[in-house]
Amino acid sequence: VEQAARHLDDCRQAAARMDTSIDLLERCAVTREAFQHANEAMVQQAGWAGYHLTWRPFQVGYQLVVLSSLADPWDDDRELMDLLWFPTGGGKTEAYLGLVAFLCFHRRLRHDDSDQGAGTAVIMRYTLRLLTLDQFRRSSRLIASCDLLRSRDPSRLGDIPISLGLWIGGDSTPNRVKDAASILNQRDAHNSPRQLTECPACNQSLTWRHDRTTPGDGAIRCECPNDQCELGK
């Protein structure tokens, strides 16, 4: 009975947090717009991945539990760490990627100068290298989708791209441009910079090159060669 009472109390707290987020979405235009952009980005990336996005109740519930504490810097729940547990393949990644998209857009929309909201917004950490790479590739689809939406409305969402990076140490990826350039075309290199091999939108093989026109050691460029792709070039 005591444990059941604790569970019911947890449920009431979760429901109250959902109500707080719903209220915030109703009364705050910035929060609502960020939420709308996030859903648009999620639908778009799902289309690229070949599936139709339909939110499951637990995914919407989790996003609403957390959303207010992401949007409101004075929210008391920012002191909490929320744990989302669900069996493998149940849809956890989509639930938190929706929040990642929301945060990226909200940071830009809440400033008069949208580019003030650029910079590191989210850090994701995984314990296994293969899982890290898999989630990085899935995240790349969302981030590319978010940036495509940003590029269509830079006056509202900023000129600085929404981007992502992979930081897993020099044994897995080169830490310097000159090192990356020297092994760029070594297909069997264990620490190649080619951690993405296919376009997030059209799945065509990406082209990687060393751009020597950039000052210093240059830059490594990754492009989709498909002119018909939304991310082409």
Side-chain angles (χ1 to χ4, degrees):
V1 175
E2 181 180 350
Q3 190 60 47
R6 289 178 182 173
H7 288 321
L8 286 172
D9 186 55
D10 288 342
C11 290
R12 293 187 188 98
Q13 289 185 41
R17 293 177 68 186
M18 291 182 206
D19 287 340
T20 298
S21 292
I22 292 171
D23 177 66
L24 186 62
L25 285 167
E26 289 178 339
R27 62 183 172 80
C28 178
V30 167
T31 301
R32 186 167 57 251
E33 184 179 354
F35 190 66
Q36 290 168 337
H37 283 315
N39 276 273
E40 185 178 0
M42 287 297 296
V43 168
Q44 181 171 254
Q45 66 86 32
W48 291 347
Y51 69 94
H52 176 74
L53 179 68
T54 301
W55 289 119
R56 301 174 188 179
F58 90 89
Q59 294 172 321
V60 177
Y62 178 70
Q63 291 182 63
L64 290 176
V65 164
V66 176
L67 187 141
S68 178
S69 62
L70 290 180
D72 182 0
W74 296 279
D75 193 298
D76 291 338
D77 291 331
R78 290 174 76 93
E79 298 298 320
L80 298 178
M81 183 188 75
D82 291 290
L83 173 66
L84 175 63
W85 185 93
F86 215 77
T88 299
K92 294 186 298 294
T93 300
E94 284 80 7
Y96 74 72
L97 286 182
L99 290 171
V100 169
F102 169 79
L103 185 60
C104 288
F105 289 121
H106 189 271
R107 282 164 55 99
R108 290 164 180 258
L109 288 168
R110 74 186 207 185
H111 293 287
D112 292 333
D113 178 358
S114 298
D115 285 333
Q116 288 183 23
T120 303
V122 177
I123 297 175
M124 294 184 286
R125 184 179 184 275
Y126 302 94
T127 53
L128 299 175
R129 185 174 187 274
L130 289 178
L131 183 60
T132 298
L133 293 177
D134 175 68
Q135 294 294 316
F136 177 68
R137 288 161 184 157
R138 293 179 69 177
S139 300
S140 72
R141 198 158 48 228
L142 172 71
I143 296 302
S145 179
C146 288
D147 191 59
L148 185 60
L149 296 181
R150 177 210 60 81
S151 69
R152 292 170 179 165
D153 191 8
S155 63
R156 188 86 177 109
L157 298 174
D159 293 313
I160 298 176
I162 300 174
S163 61
L164 81 165
L166 184 65
W167 187 23
I168 52 178
D171 289 340
S172 299
T173 56
N175 288 332
R176 295 175 175 80
V177 171
K178 63 179 182 179
D179 296 332
S182 67
I183 63 173
L184 189 60
N185 296 316
Q186 298 177 21
R187 295 286 179 175
D188 58 346
H190 69 280
N191 62 339
S192 171
R194 296 173 180 267
Q195 297 298 327
L196 284 179
T197 57
E198 297 177 343
C199 173
C202 72
N203 296 319
Q204 184 159 323
S205 295
L206 295 169
T207 60
W208 289 77
R209 62 184 175 84
H210 181 206
D211 180 4
R212 294 180 175 83
T213 63
T214 304
D217 293 324
I220 305 297
R221 306 293 183 193
C222 174
E223 296 175 346
C224 174
N226 182 5
D227 290 333
Q228 304 304 311
C229 175
E230 290 181 284
L231 301 179
K233 303 301 180 184

